[in-house]
Amino acid sequence: MEECTLERVKEKVYDLRGRCVVVTGSSRGIGRATAILFALHGADVVVNYAGSAEKAGEAVREVEKAGSRAIAVKADVTRAEEVRELFRRAYEEFGRIDVLVNNAGISVPRKLLELEEEVWDKVIAVNLKGQFLCAREAARYMLEQKQGKIVNIASVAGLYGGGLGVHYAASKAGVIGLTKALARELAPYVQVNSISPGPTRTELMKTLSEEDWRRVLSQIPLGRVAEPEDIATAVVHLVRCTEYINGQNIVVDGGRILAPTT
Ligand code: NAP
C-alpha cells in the first residue's frame, strides 16, 4: 500500500474511474442502487443476477447512463463454476477486479418449528456460501494485483436475530465472521468489511405488512426506514473514502439498535 498523505487523499486515492466493481445480485434492490452509485463515481460495473435478465439489463442501461461501462453476467453465487466464470468475464472485459460487493441474498421467512431443512440449506447456501465462493474467486485477482476491497452485505439480523428466522440470522452472523477471517487472511493487500443494513424497502422485505413497517418506523430515531440508496451510500463511502478500516461490521439502520429508550 502507498503511504497515506492528505494530498494523495484529496487528489487521487478515492478516484474510482477505471476501477472494476463486481456487485452480486445487482438486478434490483440494494445491489442495483450500489451498482449505479459506483457508476456515478466513475467505476465500471459488473451487474450480476441469478434469474432476472430483464432487470439486470435495465441496471446496465442505468450504469451506462451514468457514464460508465457495464456488463450483465448471469451466475448463481452458490455454484463455484458459475462464480469462476463471473470473475473471468469481469476480468476479460475490464482487465482488473478492484472491488467485490457480496450482496446477493434471499430471505425465506419461517418460524423455527416450520423451518424445513431444505430452506435452511438454501438460505445458508445463497447468503453465506455464495459470499465465500465469490470472495475466494475475487481474491485470486486481487492478491495478484496486490490491491482490492471487499464489502460483504450482512444484516442487523446477524447481530440481534430478527423476524426473518433463525436460518437468515445464522447466515448473516456467518457473514460477519467470514468478513473478519477474510480481513485477516487477505491483509495487507485487500481490505474486507461488512455492512449490516436495517430493514430496507426492497423485494426481499415484501413479506412485511404496512403495519410491520409502521412498527419498524416507530423504532428508528432518524424517523424513516432505509431505502436501497441509503445502503449503497454506505458501501460506496467505505470503498471510496477509507483505506484503514478492516474487518469491521458497520451498522446502517438509522440508529434503530439504540432503541429502546426511556
Ligand atoms: P432483493 O431486492 O431481493 O435483491 C436480491 C438480489 O440478489 C437480486 O438481484 C437477485 O437476483 C440476487 N440473487 C438472489 N439469489 C441469487 C443467487 N443465487 N445468485 C446470484 N444472485 C442472486 O434483496 P435486497 O433487499 O436488495 O438484499 C440485498 C442484500 O441485502 C441481501 O444480502 C440481503 O440479505 C441484505 N439485507 C437486506 C435488508 C432489507 O431489509 N432489504 C436488510 C439487511 C440486509 P435475481 O433478481 O436475478 O433473482
Side-chain angles (χ1 to χ4, degrees):
M1 241 190 298
E2 293 169 54
E3 193 191 341
C4 181
T5 67
L6 289 175
E7 201 176 317
R8 189 174 70 93
V9 166
K10 180 169 161 282
E11 288 175 7
K12 172 163 159 278
V13 180
Y14 311 142
D15 187 357
L16 289 172
R17 282 173 298 180
R19 302 287 183 187
C20 167
V21 180
V22 178
V23 185
T24 67
S26 44
S27 54
R28 57 193 154 88
I30 292 168
R32 178 180 188 278
T34 302
I36 296 168
L37 194 57
F38 269 115
L40 286 167
H41 282 93
D44 298 323
V45 180
V46 177
V47 172
N48 158 252
Y49 65 102
S52 315
E54 203 171 310
K55 283 192 180 299
E58 284 167 22
V60 164
R61 282 190 289 283
E62 287 296 316
V63 167
E64 288 170 345
K65 230 193 282 174
S68 290
R69 295 183 296 166
I71 53 168
V73 182
K74 178 176 159 74
D76 180 341
V77 294
T78 69
R79 295 174 185 267
E81 270 309 312
E82 295 184 26
V83 168
R84 191 162 305 134
E85 183 60 13
L86 165 66
F87 286 90
R88 198 197 61 73
R89 287 279 316 281
Y91 188 78
E92 182 182 69
E93 189 71 23
F94 299 119
R96 48 190 301 119
I97 291 167
D98 297 288
V99 179
L100 163 64
V101 183
N102 253 329
N103 166 78
I106 57 169
S107 79
V108 187
R110 290 279 193 282
K111 295 287 182 205
L112 177 63
L113 299 188
E114 282 86 49
L115 176 54
E116 309 90 334
E117 201 178 333
E118 310 81 69
V119 172
W120 168 278
D121 287 346
K122 174 79 182 164
V123 168
I124 299 290
V126 177
N127 293 4
L128 184 54
K129 181 184 171 188
Q131 294 207 3
F132 145 63
L133 289 176
C134 290
R136 187 176 66 175
E137 211 50 38
R140 296 188 206 285
Y141 296 88
M142 291 174 176
L143 291 175
E144 181 75 25
Q145 290 165 189
K146 294 186 162 42
Q147 188 194 35
K149 293 187 179 180
I150 298 177
V151 181
N152 296 329
I153 304 300
S155 168
V156 289
L159 296 168
Y160 305 106
L164 299 176
V166 296
H167 49 325
Y168 186 81
S171 73
K172 293 302 185 177
V175 166
I176 293 168
L178 175 77
T179 301
K180 293 180 189 304
L182 284 171
R184 284 180 189 274
E185 194 171 332
L186 299 180
Y189 298 122
V190 182
Q191 288 99 65
V192 189
N193 294 288
S194 59
I195 297 266
S196 281
T200 307
R201 281 199 190 271
T202 68
E203 270 188 62
L204 183 131
M205 296 298 276
K206 62 178 181 279
T207 51
L208 242 62
S209 65
E210 275 311 309
E211 195 188 329
D212 290 335
W213 279 114
R214 271 196 294 279
R215 183 178 42 77
V216 166
L217 180 61
S218 72
Q219 300 164 344
I220 301 174
L222 286 188
R224 63 182 181 83
V225 298
E227 301 298 332
E229 293 72 17
D230 292 309
I231 312 308
T233 302
V235 175
V236 174
H237 176 79
L238 192 55
V239 168
R240 269 188 81 227
C241 305
T242 73
E243 287 201 304
Y244 204 61
I245 296 177
N246 197 32
Q248 299 304 304
N249 177 59
I250 295 167
V251 173
V252 183
D253 73 342
R256 185 173 174 228
I257 59 168
L258 301 173
T261 52
T262 49

PDB file of all heavy atoms in Angstrom, residues 21 35 39 43-47 56-57 59-65 67-73 89 93-94:
ATOM      1  N   VAL A  21     -15.810  -2.848 -10.548  1.00  0.00           N
ATOM      2  CA  VAL A  21     -16.565  -3.245  -9.356  1.00  0.00           C
ATOM      3  C   VAL A  21     -17.541  -4.357  -9.731  1.00  0.00           C
ATOM      4  O   VAL A  21     -18.332  -4.203 -10.664  1.00  0.00           O
ATOM      5  CB  VAL A  21     -17.363  -2.039  -8.799  1.00  0.00           C
ATOM      6  CG1 VAL A  21     -18.141  -2.448  -7.555  1.00  0.00           C
ATOM      7  CG2 VAL A  21     -16.443  -0.871  -8.491  1.00  0.00           C
ATOM      8  N   ALA A  35     -24.651  -0.546  -7.561  1.00  0.00           N
ATOM      9  CA  ALA A  35     -24.014  -0.576  -8.888  1.00  0.00           C
ATOM     10  C   ALA A  35     -24.111   0.808  -9.544  1.00  0.00           C
ATOM     11  O   ALA A  35     -23.123   1.324 -10.089  1.00  0.00           O
ATOM     12  CB  ALA A  35     -24.688  -1.629  -9.764  1.00  0.00           C
ATOM     13  N   ALA A  39     -21.188   3.629 -10.438  1.00  0.00           N
ATOM     14  CA  ALA A  39     -21.053   4.168 -11.800  1.00  0.00           C
ATOM     15  C   ALA A  39     -21.038   5.691 -11.772  1.00  0.00           C
ATOM     16  O   ALA A  39     -20.268   6.330 -12.498  1.00  0.00           O
ATOM     17  CB  ALA A  39     -22.200   3.663 -12.668  1.00  0.00           C
ATOM     18  N   ALA A  43     -16.849   4.311 -11.781  1.00  0.00           N
ATOM     19  CA  ALA A  43     -16.364   2.930 -11.862  1.00  0.00           C
ATOM     20  C   ALA A  43     -17.082   2.151 -12.961  1.00  0.00           C
ATOM     21  O   ALA A  43     -18.243   2.416 -13.271  1.00  0.00           O
ATOM     22  CB  ALA A  43     -16.573   2.231 -10.527  1.00  0.00           C
ATOM     23  N   ASP A  44     -16.377   1.180 -13.531  1.00  0.00           N
ATOM     24  CA  ASP A  44     -17.009   0.214 -14.427  1.00  0.00           C
ATOM     25  C   ASP A  44     -17.641  -0.869 -13.557  1.00  0.00           C
ATOM     26  O   ASP A  44     -17.081  -1.235 -12.517  1.00  0.00           O
ATOM     27  CB  ASP A  44     -15.968  -0.415 -15.356  1.00  0.00           C
ATOM     28  CG  ASP A  44     -15.309   0.648 -16.242  1.00  0.00           C
ATOM     29  OD1 ASP A  44     -16.014   1.581 -16.655  1.00  0.00           O
ATOM     30  OD2 ASP A  44     -14.093   0.526 -16.485  1.00  0.00           O
ATOM     31  N   VAL A  45     -18.790  -1.384 -14.013  1.00  0.00           N
ATOM     32  CA  VAL A  45     -19.556  -2.245 -13.113  1.00  0.00           C
ATOM     33  C   VAL A  45     -19.956  -3.555 -13.779  1.00  0.00           C
ATOM     34  O   VAL A  45     -20.398  -3.571 -14.931  1.00  0.00           O
ATOM     35  CB  VAL A  45     -20.839  -1.510 -12.642  1.00  0.00           C
ATOM     36  CG1 VAL A  45     -21.647  -2.405 -11.715  1.00  0.00           C
ATOM     37  CG2 VAL A  45     -20.483  -0.217 -11.917  1.00  0.00           C
ATOM     38  N   VAL A  46     -19.824  -4.633 -13.029  1.00  0.00           N
ATOM     39  CA  VAL A  46     -20.366  -5.924 -13.452  1.00  0.00           C
ATOM     40  C   VAL A  46     -21.643  -6.161 -12.663  1.00  0.00           C
ATOM     41  O   VAL A  46     -21.628  -6.252 -11.433  1.00  0.00           O
ATOM     42  CB  VAL A  46     -19.360  -7.063 -13.188  1.00  0.00           C
ATOM     43  CG1 VAL A  46     -19.978  -8.413 -13.570  1.00  0.00           C
ATOM     44  CG2 VAL A  46     -18.074  -6.809 -13.970  1.00  0.00           C
ATOM     45  N   VAL A  47     -22.751  -6.214 -13.411  1.00  0.00           N
ATOM     46  CA  VAL A  47     -24.067  -6.451 -12.803  1.00  0.00           C
ATOM     47  C   VAL A  47     -24.317  -7.956 -12.835  1.00  0.00           C
ATOM     48  O   VAL A  47     -24.422  -8.546 -13.900  1.00  0.00           O
ATOM     49  CB  VAL A  47     -25.173  -5.709 -13.599  1.00  0.00           C
ATOM     50  CG1 VAL A  47     -26.557  -6.099 -13.087  1.00  0.00           C
ATOM     51  CG2 VAL A  47     -24.967  -4.198 -13.512  1.00  0.00           C
ATOM     52  N   ALA A  56     -31.668  -6.970 -14.935  1.00  0.00           N
ATOM     53  CA  ALA A  56     -30.213  -6.772 -14.994  1.00  0.00           C
ATOM     54  C   ALA A  56     -29.859  -5.879 -16.188  1.00  0.00           C
ATOM     55  O   ALA A  56     -29.000  -4.991 -16.083  1.00  0.00           O
ATOM     56  CB  ALA A  56     -29.498  -8.114 -15.096  1.00  0.00           C
ATOM     57  N   GLY A  57     -30.558  -6.094 -17.302  1.00  0.00           N
ATOM     58  CA  GLY A  57     -30.340  -5.258 -18.493  1.00  0.00           C
ATOM     59  C   GLY A  57     -30.677  -3.803 -18.201  1.00  0.00           C
ATOM     60  O   GLY A  57     -29.951  -2.891 -18.613  1.00  0.00           O
ATOM     61  N   ALA A  59     -30.532  -2.386 -15.273  1.00  0.00           N
ATOM     62  CA  ALA A  59     -29.479  -1.853 -14.389  1.00  0.00           C
ATOM     63  C   ALA A  59     -28.248  -1.466 -15.207  1.00  0.00           C
ATOM     64  O   ALA A  59     -27.629  -0.422 -14.964  1.00  0.00           O
ATOM     65  CB  ALA A  59     -29.116  -2.886 -13.318  1.00  0.00           C
ATOM     66  N   VAL A  60     -27.912  -2.298 -16.190  1.00  0.00           N
ATOM     67  CA  VAL A  60     -26.763  -1.981 -17.065  1.00  0.00           C
ATOM     68  C   VAL A  60     -27.011  -0.658 -17.788  1.00  0.00           C
ATOM     69  O   VAL A  60     -26.118   0.200 -17.861  1.00  0.00           O
ATOM     70  CB  VAL A  60     -26.519  -3.127 -18.084  1.00  0.00           C
ATOM     71  CG1 VAL A  60     -25.617  -2.665 -19.229  1.00  0.00           C
ATOM     72  CG2 VAL A  60     -25.910  -4.333 -17.386  1.00  0.00           C
ATOM     73  N   ARG A  61     -28.221  -0.467 -18.290  1.00  0.00           N
ATOM     74  CA  ARG A  61     -28.524   0.787 -19.004  1.00  0.00           C
ATOM     75  C   ARG A  61     -28.406   1.993 -18.063  1.00  0.00           C
ATOM     76  O   ARG A  61     -27.940   3.052 -18.452  1.00  0.00           O
ATOM     77  CB  ARG A  61     -29.900   0.713 -19.665  1.00  0.00           C
ATOM     78  CG  ARG A  61     -29.848  -0.121 -20.963  1.00  0.00           C
ATOM     79  CD  ARG A  61     -31.122  -0.009 -21.767  1.00  0.00           C
ATOM     80  NE  ARG A  61     -32.242  -0.690 -21.140  1.00  0.00           N
ATOM     81  CZ  ARG A  61     -32.437  -2.016 -21.143  1.00  0.00           C
ATOM     82  NH1 ARG A  61     -31.573  -2.800 -21.745  1.00  0.00           N
ATOM     83  NH2 ARG A  61     -33.483  -2.553 -20.558  1.00  0.00           N
ATOM     84  N   GLU A  62     -28.832   1.815 -16.807  1.00  0.00           N
ATOM     85  CA  GLU A  62     -28.704   2.909 -15.826  1.00  0.00           C
ATOM     86  C   GLU A  62     -27.230   3.238 -15.578  1.00  0.00           C
ATOM     87  O   GLU A  62     -26.853   4.404 -15.455  1.00  0.00           O
ATOM     88  CB  GLU A  62     -29.366   2.523 -14.495  1.00  0.00           C
ATOM     89  CG  GLU A  62     -30.886   2.524 -14.531  1.00  0.00           C
ATOM     90  CD  GLU A  62     -31.451   3.923 -14.793  1.00  0.00           C
ATOM     91  OE1 GLU A  62     -30.964   4.882 -14.193  1.00  0.00           O
ATOM     92  OE2 GLU A  62     -32.378   4.026 -15.629  1.00  0.00           O
ATOM     93  N   VAL A  63     -26.402   2.197 -15.484  1.00  0.00           N
ATOM     94  CA  VAL A  63     -24.968   2.413 -15.269  1.00  0.00           C
ATOM     95  C   VAL A  63     -24.383   3.170 -16.461  1.00  0.00           C
ATOM     96  O   VAL A  63     -23.611   4.119 -16.298  1.00  0.00           O
ATOM     97  CB  VAL A  63     -24.235   1.058 -15.072  1.00  0.00           C
ATOM     98  CG1 VAL A  63     -22.723   1.240 -15.181  1.00  0.00           C
ATOM     99  CG2 VAL A  63     -24.597   0.448 -13.722  1.00  0.00           C
ATOM    100  N   GLU A  64     -24.791   2.762 -17.657  1.00  0.00           N
ATOM    101  CA  GLU A  64     -24.261   3.421 -18.857  1.00  0.00           C
ATOM    102  C   GLU A  64     -24.717   4.882 -18.918  1.00  0.00           C
ATOM    103  O   GLU A  64     -23.967   5.762 -19.317  1.00  0.00           O
ATOM    104  CB  GLU A  64     -24.689   2.645 -20.107  1.00  0.00           C
ATOM    105  CG  GLU A  64     -23.924   1.331 -20.210  1.00  0.00           C
ATOM    106  CD  GLU A  64     -24.455   0.390 -21.289  1.00  0.00           C
ATOM    107  OE1 GLU A  64     -25.596   0.609 -21.776  1.00  0.00           O
ATOM    108  OE2 GLU A  64     -23.745  -0.570 -21.608  1.00  0.00           O
ATOM    109  N   LYS A  65     -25.965   5.102 -18.482  1.00  0.00           N
ATOM    110  CA  LYS A  65     -26.483   6.478 -18.451  1.00  0.00           C
ATOM    111  C   LYS A  65     -25.636   7.343 -17.509  1.00  0.00           C
ATOM    112  O   LYS A  65     -25.472   8.547 -17.718  1.00  0.00           O
ATOM    113  CB  LYS A  65     -27.936   6.460 -17.967  1.00  0.00           C
ATOM    114  CG  LYS A  65     -28.890   7.249 -18.859  1.00  0.00           C
ATOM    115  CD  LYS A  65     -30.224   7.474 -18.227  1.00  0.00           C
ATOM    116  CE  LYS A  65     -31.116   6.241 -18.294  1.00  0.00           C
ATOM    117  NZ  LYS A  65     -32.367   6.421 -17.539  1.00  0.00           N
ATOM    118  N   GLY A  67     -22.607   7.149 -17.306  1.00  0.00           N
ATOM    119  CA  GLY A  67     -21.337   7.441 -17.978  1.00  0.00           C
ATOM    120  C   GLY A  67     -20.276   6.371 -17.807  1.00  0.00           C
ATOM    121  O   GLY A  67     -19.118   6.576 -18.163  1.00  0.00           O
ATOM    122  N   SER A  68     -20.661   5.205 -17.268  1.00  0.00           N
ATOM    123  CA  SER A  68     -19.674   4.148 -17.051  1.00  0.00           C
ATOM    124  C   SER A  68     -19.949   2.953 -17.952  1.00  0.00           C
ATOM    125  O   SER A  68     -21.008   2.854 -18.561  1.00  0.00           O
ATOM    126  CB  SER A  68     -19.705   3.700 -15.588  1.00  0.00           C
ATOM    127  OG  SER A  68     -19.195   4.706 -14.766  1.00  0.00           O
ATOM    128  N   ARG A  69     -18.995   2.029 -17.978  1.00  0.00           N
ATOM    129  CA  ARG A  69     -19.181   0.798 -18.738  1.00  0.00           C
ATOM    130  C   ARG A  69     -19.760  -0.263 -17.823  1.00  0.00           C
ATOM    131  O   ARG A  69     -19.472  -0.283 -16.620  1.00  0.00           O
ATOM    132  CB  ARG A  69     -17.845   0.316 -19.302  1.00  0.00           C
ATOM    133  CG  ARG A  69     -17.246   1.270 -20.318  1.00  0.00           C
ATOM    134  CD  ARG A  69     -15.963   0.710 -20.896  1.00  0.00           C
ATOM    135  NE  ARG A  69     -14.933   0.574 -19.868  1.00  0.00           N
ATOM    136  CZ  ARG A  69     -13.810  -0.124 -20.013  1.00  0.00           C
ATOM    137  NH1 ARG A  69     -13.585  -0.790 -21.122  1.00  0.00           N
ATOM    138  NH2 ARG A  69     -12.905  -0.187 -19.043  1.00  0.00           N
ATOM    139  N   ALA A  70     -20.567  -1.155 -18.411  1.00  0.00           N
ATOM    140  CA  ALA A  70     -21.159  -2.219 -17.595  1.00  0.00           C
ATOM    141  C   ALA A  70     -21.430  -3.446 -18.439  1.00  0.00           C
ATOM    142  O   ALA A  70     -21.688  -3.354 -19.636  1.00  0.00           O
ATOM    143  CB  ALA A  70     -22.466  -1.732 -16.977  1.00  0.00           C
ATOM    144  N   ILE A  71     -21.362  -4.613 -17.791  1.00  0.00           N
ATOM    145  CA  ILE A  71     -21.865  -5.838 -18.411  1.00  0.00           C
ATOM    146  C   ILE A  71     -22.755  -6.537 -17.392  1.00  0.00           C
ATOM    147  O   ILE A  71     -22.568  -6.382 -16.179  1.00  0.00           O
ATOM    148  CB  ILE A  71     -20.741  -6.811 -18.856  1.00  0.00           C
ATOM    149  CG1 ILE A  71     -19.771  -7.119 -17.688  1.00  0.00           C
ATOM    150  CG2 ILE A  71     -19.999  -6.260 -20.063  1.00  0.00           C
ATOM    151  CD1 ILE A  71     -18.822  -8.283 -17.990  1.00  0.00           C
ATOM    152  N   ALA A  72     -23.729  -7.286 -17.906  1.00  0.00           N
ATOM    153  CA  ALA A  72     -24.547  -8.122 -17.019  1.00  0.00           C
ATOM    154  C   ALA A  72     -24.069  -9.558 -17.163  1.00  0.00           C
ATOM    155  O   ALA A  72     -23.858 -10.032 -18.278  1.00  0.00           O
ATOM    156  CB  ALA A  72     -26.016  -8.014 -17.418  1.00  0.00           C
ATOM    157  N   VAL A  73     -23.872 -10.231 -16.043  1.00  0.00           N
ATOM    158  CA  VAL A  73     -23.436 -11.631 -16.084  1.00  0.00           C
ATOM    159  C   VAL A  73     -24.339 -12.468 -15.186  1.00  0.00           C
ATOM    160  O   VAL A  73     -24.439 -12.217 -13.971  1.00  0.00           O
ATOM    161  CB  VAL A  73     -21.962 -11.789 -15.622  1.00  0.00           C
ATOM    162  CG1 VAL A  73     -21.541 -13.246 -15.719  1.00  0.00           C
ATOM    163  CG2 VAL A  73     -21.027 -10.902 -16.434  1.00  0.00           C
ATOM    164  N   ARG A  89     -15.237 -13.404 -16.766  1.00  0.00           N
ATOM    165  CA  ARG A  89     -15.864 -12.444 -17.692  1.00  0.00           C
ATOM    166  C   ARG A  89     -15.542 -11.003 -17.289  1.00  0.00           C
ATOM    167  O   ARG A  89     -15.272 -10.145 -18.135  1.00  0.00           O
ATOM    168  CB  ARG A  89     -17.391 -12.620 -17.693  1.00  0.00           C
ATOM    169  CG  ARG A  89     -17.903 -13.874 -18.394  1.00  0.00           C
ATOM    170  CD  ARG A  89     -17.979 -13.707 -19.904  1.00  0.00           C
ATOM    171  NE  ARG A  89     -18.539 -12.445 -20.348  1.00  0.00           N
ATOM    172  CZ  ARG A  89     -19.837 -12.146 -20.387  1.00  0.00           C
ATOM    173  NH1 ARG A  89     -20.728 -13.036 -20.009  1.00  0.00           N
ATOM    174  NH2 ARG A  89     -20.250 -10.974 -20.818  1.00  0.00           N
ATOM    175  N   GLU A  93     -13.386  -8.411 -19.584  1.00  0.00           N
ATOM    176  CA  GLU A  93     -13.989  -7.159 -20.071  1.00  0.00           C
ATOM    177  C   GLU A  93     -13.198  -5.932 -19.596  1.00  0.00           C
ATOM    178  O   GLU A  93     -12.976  -4.996 -20.354  1.00  0.00           O
ATOM    179  CB  GLU A  93     -15.432  -7.086 -19.552  1.00  0.00           C
ATOM    180  CG  GLU A  93     -16.263  -5.972 -20.134  1.00  0.00           C
ATOM    181  CD  GLU A  93     -16.631  -6.184 -21.605  1.00  0.00           C
ATOM    182  OE1 GLU A  93     -16.623  -7.349 -22.069  1.00  0.00           O
ATOM    183  OE2 GLU A  93     -16.904  -5.174 -22.281  1.00  0.00           O
ATOM    184  N   PHE A  94     -12.806  -5.934 -18.324  1.00  0.00           N
ATOM    185  CA  PHE A  94     -12.252  -4.706 -17.741  1.00  0.00           C
ATOM    186  C   PHE A  94     -10.763  -4.797 -17.363  1.00  0.00           C
ATOM    187  O   PHE A  94     -10.168  -3.808 -16.950  1.00  0.00           O
ATOM    188  CB  PHE A  94     -13.081  -4.296 -16.519  1.00  0.00           C
ATOM    189  CG  PHE A  94     -14.526  -4.012 -16.876  1.00  0.00           C
ATOM    190  CD1 PHE A  94     -15.560  -4.756 -16.323  1.00  0.00           C
ATOM    191  CD2 PHE A  94     -14.843  -3.009 -17.776  1.00  0.00           C
ATOM    192  CE1 PHE A  94     -16.884  -4.507 -16.658  1.00  0.00           C
ATOM    193  CE2 PHE A  94     -16.163  -2.743 -18.119  1.00  0.00           C
ATOM    194  CZ  PHE A  94     -17.187  -3.497 -17.560  1.00  0.00           C
TER     195      PHE A  94
END
